[in-house]
Amino acid sequence: MRRIRSLRVLGDWIYATNLWHVNRYSSAMAFFVGLFVAFMPIPGQMVAAAALAVLFRCNLPLSVGLVWITNPVTMPAIFFLAYKLGAMIIDVPVQPIEFELSFHWLNHRLAAIWQPFLLGCLLCGLFFGSVGYFVINVLWRLRVARQWRERKRRRALAVAMQAEAKAAAKTASCDPD
């Protein structure tokens, strides 16, 4: 990567090992960052995820890729869920929403629901990001434990086979036939 001239503009931080390697911390934290930012109703979610990945030194491609959980197909349902959660917590009635991508809608309709909407987005981002972090941590630990058990089983099998081979060689050398 250091040979790519266009990356020199970004400085040395782009070469931090956790940004590109897959390890337990880097992957788990990338899930937190990516899922948290996915629930934020901001333009440039990928840039925000990349900045947070650099800040927390977690896997950059994974953080940025997870942002695409909220895409044009899933975004309305996810953001409506976040709005309903925020409305339930603030204890305001849920208003029927007909989304329209226009300046008029942003000024009038969003102004009426912004508090429960942003609270719901924040809580959903924190919740799902934390769940992603802990699930990846647990899965990673389970995988390592399984690999250790498998290694222990293979070693025990190898020791048993060696002992069996020694016993067979000993009986063959003691056998006068």
Side-chain angles (χ1 to χ4, degrees):
M1 283 183 57
R2 291 189 187 271
R3 291 185 209 149
I4 302 172
R5 291 181 188 207
S6 60
L7 292 180
R8 289 183 188 159
V9 174
L10 299 174
D12 286 337
W13 62 264
I14 195 75
Y15 306 115
T17 56
N18 271 354
L19 292 180
W20 307 104
H21 291 243
V22 177
N23 57 45
R24 185 171 53 96
Y25 170 80
S26 180
S27 299
M29 199 60 181
F31 263 78
F32 178 81
V33 166
L35 292 174
F36 177 76
V37 174
F39 281 91
M40 295 300 104
I42 56 173
Q45 287 178 324
M46 291 172 56
V47 174
L52 287 174
V54 169
L55 179 68
F56 291 116
R57 300 210 187 312
C58 60
N59 189 287
L60 181 73
L62 190 55
S63 296
V64 171
L66 282 167
V67 167
W68 280 97
I69 287 174
T70 51
N71 56 57
V73 175
T74 62
M75 195 178 299
I78 288 173
F79 285 161
F80 186 69
L81 167 79
Y83 166 64
K84 283 182 73 169
L85 175 68
M88 182 181 72
I89 290 175
I90 293 178
D91 198 26
V92 296
V94 176
Q95 299 176 11
I97 299 172
E98 292 181 20
F99 179 73
E100 178 184 314
L101 189 56
S102 69
F103 187 71
H104 181 268
W105 187 89
L106 288 173
N107 272 345
H108 292 81
R109 295 295 295 151
L110 188 60
I113 64 166
W114 72 272
Q115 290 173 328
F117 176 59
L118 290 182
L119 177 64
C121 287
L122 178 67
L123 292 176
C124 284
L126 288 172
F127 174 76
F128 287 108
S130 298
V131 167
Y133 178 86
F134 288 115
V135 165
I136 295 303
N137 247 333
V138 167
L139 290 175
W140 198 283
R141 288 177 186 264
L142 289 174
R143 180 175 170 260
V144 168
R146 188 184 80 232
Q147 287 175 335
W148 276 98
R149 282 192 307 273
E150 182 63 27
R151 181 185 290 173
K152 187 177 179 180
R153 186 189 67 75
R154 282 194 313 260
R155 284 182 180 167
L157 185 62
V159 167
M161 289 177 65
Q162 272 184 337
E164 192 176 294
K166 280 184 183 180
K170 191 175 193 178
T171 58
S173 66
C174 293
D175 207 11
D177 293 345

